[in-house]
Amino acid sequence: VQKLALAPGEETNMSVNLKIVLIVLALVVPFCQCTNTVTVTSAGNNITDGETVNRDVGEDFNFTCSTSRTLVDITLAVLPDIDVPGNPGSIRDFYLIDVQCDLTGTVFTCTDNTDTVSFTLNLEFASYNFSQPVYMRFEGENFFTNSTVEACPEPSDVTWTRDGEILSNNANIDITNTSITITNLQRSDNGTYTITSGNGAGEGSGSFDLIVYYGPELTNGNNKSTVDLTLTEGDTLFINCSVSGSNPINYTIVLTLNSDEELTITNQPNYMVNNSVTDANSGRYTCTVSTSVDFATLNYDVQVISPSSTTSSSTMMSTTTTSSTTTTPSSTTMTTSPGGGSAAGFTSASLVLILVAAFSVLFA
């Protein structure tokens, strides 16, 4: 082995070459595509090269392209060519608002000239949207609503339901792929309406609630406008304004008594006098119930009588019945008064004996 004797400060050719290599590497490595330098993210998730990104029709799509290289701008290519707003630099944010079906299949490519990430946008079935979640109508009115649907392609096989029951066209209901019309609304039309359909990308639906307000009906009058009530003193008086109708329902009970006293009771459906009615409680009691649609009334004419009146009436009827049943005309009796006059006190048999004796004397 030959040893080289170097003077102080003298370098070998090998060390010089090593320094040159290190300098070249330091200059070349930052520009070398030795690792992935481009990153694409959307909604906090990384998008890989060749990935298909699914989004719903009508939503916003934002993504960020960035590079780890210094002093290098990121560029975006779109096929087919569309304008995608975004800021320049090594980190670029891009914004697409209210994406529609025409963007399905669009390819986005982010590059820093050494690394590239490409992805494809795919738009799926979104949903049906109605102008409001709750509709309020009155009984007898007509109702119409139209939905907007966001789907690629347009959906087919549309189904309408009310509270889960499938609807079909009839004399009062007309349905299409996006709308429903109901003529002459009835209280039975209350409910939650849902439209459901699908396409190759998925299935979507939308719902709304329909509230039908209808007028009140007093249910305890048997379709009468006036009900007569006769009570005995000490009984219980109970006035009940039983009603069916759509909320809100307002109650009013007006007491017009025989004593010309008038009393109004509001916001309660009944009135009671417990085990203590007197004649002072006699009079007309009027139930009035109302909604935003209509109102209804029912009168109770109340008469309170005393127990003695009831007893006297019963006694008179009993006496009349007794006298009519004790008459016995077949047993008349004739008697002779002290003055010699005849009176009812002898029987018909005695009269026959007297007549026989008289005829015997005349023809003896």
Tab-separated table of all heavy atoms in Angstrom, residues 222-246:
chain	number	residue	atom	x	y	z
A	222	ASN	N	-126.374	16.478	19.873
A	222	ASN	CA	-127.119	15.621	18.943
A	222	ASN	C	-127.735	16.437	17.809
A	222	ASN	O	-128.904	16.273	17.456
A	222	ASN	CB	-128.214	14.846	19.679
A	222	ASN	CG	-127.644	13.872	20.692
A	222	ASN	OD1	-126.614	13.267	20.456
A	222	ASN	ND2	-128.323	13.738	21.829
A	223	ASN	N	-126.894	17.345	17.269
A	223	ASN	CA	-127.297	18.209	16.149
A	223	ASN	C	-128.443	19.145	16.501
A	223	ASN	O	-129.152	19.634	15.615
A	223	ASN	CB	-127.672	17.361	14.926
A	223	ASN	CG	-126.495	16.564	14.403
A	223	ASN	OD1	-125.360	17.050	14.388
A	223	ASN	ND2	-126.757	15.347	13.969
A	224	LYS	N	-128.695	19.392	17.776
A	224	LYS	CA	-129.713	20.350	18.200
A	224	LYS	C	-129.052	21.682	18.507
A	224	LYS	O	-127.883	21.755	18.860
A	224	LYS	CB	-130.451	19.849	19.447
A	224	LYS	CG	-131.238	18.558	19.241
A	224	LYS	CD	-131.916	18.150	20.551
A	224	LYS	CE	-132.710	16.864	20.379
A	224	LYS	NZ	-133.357	16.450	21.661
A	225	SER	N	-129.868	22.742	18.400
A	225	SER	CA	-129.357	24.057	18.774
A	225	SER	C	-129.639	24.375	20.237
A	225	SER	O	-128.978	25.226	20.828
A	225	SER	CB	-129.971	25.139	17.880
A	225	SER	OG	-131.392	25.145	18.030
A	226	THR	N	-130.639	23.672	20.830
A	226	THR	CA	-131.006	23.908	22.226
A	226	THR	C	-131.277	22.570	22.909
A	226	THR	O	-131.955	21.705	22.350
A	226	THR	CB	-132.247	24.805	22.338
A	226	THR	OG1	-131.994	26.049	21.682
A	226	THR	CG2	-132.592	25.068	23.798
A	227	VAL	N	-130.764	22.420	24.116
A	227	VAL	CA	-130.979	21.223	24.924
A	227	VAL	C	-131.683	21.645	26.213
A	227	VAL	O	-131.246	22.577	26.895
A	227	VAL	CB	-129.644	20.523	25.255
A	227	VAL	CG1	-129.882	19.324	26.175
A	227	VAL	CG2	-128.944	20.081	23.985
A	228	ASP	N	-132.806	20.974	26.540
A	228	ASP	CA	-133.554	21.282	27.770
A	228	ASP	C	-133.061	20.385	28.906
A	228	ASP	O	-132.963	19.159	28.754
A	228	ASP	CB	-135.056	21.061	27.548
A	228	ASP	CG	-135.645	22.054	26.551
A	228	ASP	OD1	-135.198	23.210	26.549
A	228	ASP	OD2	-136.533	21.653	25.771
A	229	LEU	N	-132.789	21.006	30.060
A	229	LEU	CA	-132.356	20.276	31.246
A	229	LEU	C	-133.261	20.634	32.416
A	229	LEU	O	-133.435	21.821	32.734
A	229	LEU	CB	-130.904	20.622	31.611
A	229	LEU	CG	-129.798	20.148	30.670
A	229	LEU	CD1	-128.438	20.625	31.188
A	229	LEU	CD2	-129.804	18.637	30.552
A	230	THR	N	-133.856	19.645	33.066
A	230	THR	CA	-134.663	19.858	34.268
A	230	THR	C	-133.967	19.176	35.440
A	230	THR	O	-133.719	17.971	35.408
A	230	THR	CB	-136.080	19.286	34.094
A	230	THR	OG1	-136.705	19.922	32.982
A	230	THR	CG2	-136.907	19.529	35.354
A	231	LEU	N	-133.662	19.967	36.466
A	231	LEU	CA	-132.945	19.472	37.636
A	231	LEU	C	-133.754	19.749	38.893
A	231	LEU	O	-134.626	20.633	38.917
A	231	LEU	CB	-131.574	20.147	37.746
A	231	LEU	CG	-130.634	20.002	36.553
A	231	LEU	CD1	-129.373	20.838	36.780
A	231	LEU	CD2	-130.261	18.547	36.335
A	232	THR	N	-133.467	19.000	39.951
A	232	THR	CA	-134.069	19.216	41.265
A	232	THR	C	-133.058	19.924	42.152
A	232	THR	O	-131.842	19.680	42.038
A	232	THR	CB	-134.470	17.877	41.911
A	232	THR	OG1	-135.379	17.207	41.025
A	232	THR	CG2	-135.135	18.084	43.256
A	233	GLU	N	-133.542	20.802	42.992
A	233	GLU	CA	-132.649	21.526	43.888
A	233	GLU	C	-131.726	20.546	44.613
A	233	GLU	O	-132.181	19.523	45.130
A	233	GLU	CB	-133.442	22.353	44.897
A	233	GLU	CG	-134.123	23.567	44.289
A	233	GLU	CD	-134.838	24.402	45.340
A	233	GLU	OE1	-134.939	23.925	46.497
A	233	GLU	OE2	-135.292	25.511	45.022
A	234	GLY	N	-130.441	20.893	44.639
A	234	GLY	CA	-129.452	20.025	45.266
A	234	GLY	C	-128.731	19.125	44.281
A	234	GLY	O	-127.732	18.489	44.640
A	235	ASP	N	-129.245	19.051	43.033
A	235	ASP	CA	-128.558	18.256	42.010
A	235	ASP	C	-127.277	18.963	41.564
A	235	ASP	O	-126.978	20.094	41.972
A	235	ASP	CB	-129.461	18.044	40.789
A	235	ASP	CG	-130.563	17.032	41.064
A	235	ASP	OD1	-130.473	16.357	42.110
A	235	ASP	OD2	-131.495	16.931	40.245
A	236	THR	N	-126.520	18.267	40.720
A	236	THR	CA	-125.312	18.843	40.136
A	236	THR	C	-125.600	19.313	38.717
A	236	THR	O	-126.178	18.582	37.911
A	236	THR	CB	-124.172	17.803	40.096
A	236	THR	OG1	-123.804	17.475	41.440
A	236	THR	CG2	-122.948	18.342	39.373
A	237	LEU	N	-125.217	20.540	38.432
A	237	LEU	CA	-125.347	21.095	37.082
A	237	LEU	C	-123.981	21.041	36.408
A	237	LEU	O	-122.993	21.538	36.942
A	237	LEU	CB	-125.839	22.543	37.145
A	237	LEU	CG	-125.811	23.312	35.823
A	237	LEU	CD1	-126.749	22.676	34.809
A	237	LEU	CD2	-126.166	24.786	36.048
A	238	PHE	N	-123.936	20.416	35.233
A	238	PHE	CA	-122.672	20.316	34.495
A	238	PHE	C	-122.917	20.681	33.033
A	238	PHE	O	-123.666	20.009	32.336
A	238	PHE	CB	-122.098	18.905	34.594
A	238	PHE	CG	-120.755	18.752	33.924
A	238	PHE	CD1	-119.628	19.376	34.433
A	238	PHE	CD2	-120.626	17.988	32.771
A	238	PHE	CE1	-118.394	19.234	33.822
A	238	PHE	CE2	-119.402	17.839	32.148
A	238	PHE	CZ	-118.274	18.468	32.674
A	239	ILE	N	-122.316	21.764	32.608
A	239	ILE	CA	-122.396	22.219	31.215
A	239	ILE	C	-121.063	21.915	30.554
A	239	ILE	O	-120.011	22.421	30.973
A	239	ILE	CB	-122.694	23.728	31.142
A	239	ILE	CG1	-124.008	24.049	31.862
A	239	ILE	CG2	-122.737	24.187	29.694
A	239	ILE	CD1	-125.220	23.402	31.242
A	240	ASN	N	-121.099	21.073	29.523
A	240	ASN	CA	-119.864	20.654	28.858
A	240	ASN	C	-119.916	21.057	27.391
A	240	ASN	O	-120.790	20.617	26.643
A	240	ASN	CB	-119.679	19.135	28.985
A	240	ASN	CG	-118.385	18.675	28.332
A	240	ASN	OD1	-117.434	19.441	28.237
A	240	ASN	ND2	-118.368	17.444	27.877
A	241	CYS	N	-118.979	21.894	26.984
A	241	CYS	CA	-118.889	22.306	25.583
A	241	CYS	C	-117.968	21.341	24.839
A	241	CYS	O	-116.840	21.695	24.468
A	241	CYS	CB	-118.361	23.726	25.475
A	241	CYS	SG	-119.398	24.967	26.270
A	242	SER	N	-118.403	20.119	24.642
A	242	SER	CA	-117.602	19.125	23.940
A	242	SER	C	-117.576	19.473	22.466
A	242	SER	O	-118.621	19.684	21.847
A	242	SER	CB	-118.194	17.732	24.158
A	242	SER	OG	-117.433	16.769	23.491
A	243	VAL	N	-116.376	19.515	21.882
A	243	VAL	CA	-116.241	20.051	20.528
A	243	VAL	C	-115.167	19.303	19.769
A	243	VAL	O	-114.219	18.770	20.348
A	243	VAL	CB	-115.900	21.563	20.604
A	243	VAL	CG1	-114.531	21.770	21.244
A	243	VAL	CG2	-115.932	22.202	19.222
A	244	SER	N	-115.338	19.225	18.461
A	244	SER	CA	-114.279	18.769	17.575
A	244	SER	C	-113.967	19.905	16.618
A	244	SER	O	-114.853	20.595	16.143
A	244	SER	CB	-114.710	17.525	16.781
A	244	SER	OG	-115.752	17.846	15.891
A	245	GLY	N	-112.688	20.091	16.353
A	245	GLY	CA	-112.269	21.177	15.479
A	245	GLY	C	-110.765	21.281	15.481
A	245	GLY	O	-110.077	20.637	16.268
A	246	SER	N	-110.233	22.087	14.572
A	246	SER	CA	-108.791	22.241	14.485
A	246	SER	C	-108.328	23.321	15.449
A	246	SER	O	-109.019	24.302	15.679
A	246	SER	CB	-108.386	22.604	13.055
A	246	SER	OG	-109.089	23.760	12.621
